[in-house]
Amino acid sequence: MAFVPAPGYQPTYNPTLPYNQPIPGGLRIGMSIYIQGVADEKMQRFQVNFAVGQGPGADIAFHFNPRFDGWDKVVFNSQQGGRWGDEERKRSMPFSKGAPFELVFMILAEHYKVVVNGDPFYEFRHRLPLQMVTHLQVNGDLRLQSINFLGGQ
Ligand code: 9QG
């Protein structure tokens, strides 16, 4: 991962929820989005969305959604025209209630590579062209400490 600031790079510290901000310069191959946070003690779910516009009702190219309710799992999906696509799921939970985490999304040509606490967790193949993604949205049962946009051409 190249720790080169993206154009227009501004680290954001302790942003309030819901977080819904433009991705500086837009999404690009080679970019990494680096999120530090703490899962709530009573975390049920949180979500990170790569959105097409600020919304409301913006299409979502990639919805990342860890869930402690039911069988602990992470759900991955996209939404277009208000309709969810086919869910991908992984029945594994890389987050711990009450614990800090580092969550990295690496933007690769074929997929979003999700890395949690340094361990590769999932690869979500692009469904919408990554160039359409303009906004990052975060909400749910967590506290955000920082969001950084790194690298990319
Ligand atoms: O449940 O699943 C992802 O496939 C839906 C959830 C929805 C998504 C979706 O209700 O929750 O996780 O915007 C929403 O409602 C999100 C937060 C079949």
Side-chain angles (χ1 to χ4, degrees), residues 8-133:
Y9 164 84
Q10 291 284 349
T12 309
Y13 297 107
N14 303 311
T16 53
L17 297 176
Y19 177 92
N20 184 8
Q21 294 294 323
I23 296 168
L27 208 61
R28 300 173 301 286
I29 291 170
M31 187 178 208
S32 291
I33 290 97
Y34 181 78
I35 300 174
Q36 288 180 298
V38 183
D40 285 354
E41 289 282 354
K42 295 182 176 173
M43 173 184 161
Q44 295 273 307
R45 300 181 178 191
F46 72 77
Q47 57 188 315
V48 178
N49 293 332
F50 290 83
V52 181
Q54 192 169 32
D59 283 355
I60 301 169
F62 178 28
H63 169 75
F64 173 83
N65 182 216
R67 301 180 181 181
F68 273 106
D69 42 2
W71 192 345
D72 296 352
K73 61 181 172 291
V74 180
V75 169
F76 316 87
N77 208 343
S78 57
Q79 190 188 66
Q80 286 181 270
R83 298 173 67 107
W84 290 106
D86 291 334
E87 274 189 1
E88 298 175 33
R89 298 184 196 94
K90 182 168 175 175
R91 296 203 189 285
S92 164
M93 175 52 74
F95 302 96
S96 301
K97 291 180 180 179
F101 62 82
E102 295 181 353
L103 171 60
V104 181
F105 296 92
M106 301 171 67
I107 313 306
L108 304 179
E110 300 292 324
H111 51 255
Y112 297 82
K113 180 174 180 177
V114 184
V115 180
V116 184
N117 297 329
D119 296 323
F121 182 72
Y122 201 74
E123 294 176 354
F124 183 83
R125 282 187 74 83
H126 294 295
R127 297 179 182 181
L128 279 68
L130 65 96
Q131 293 82 4
M132 292 176 67
V133 173

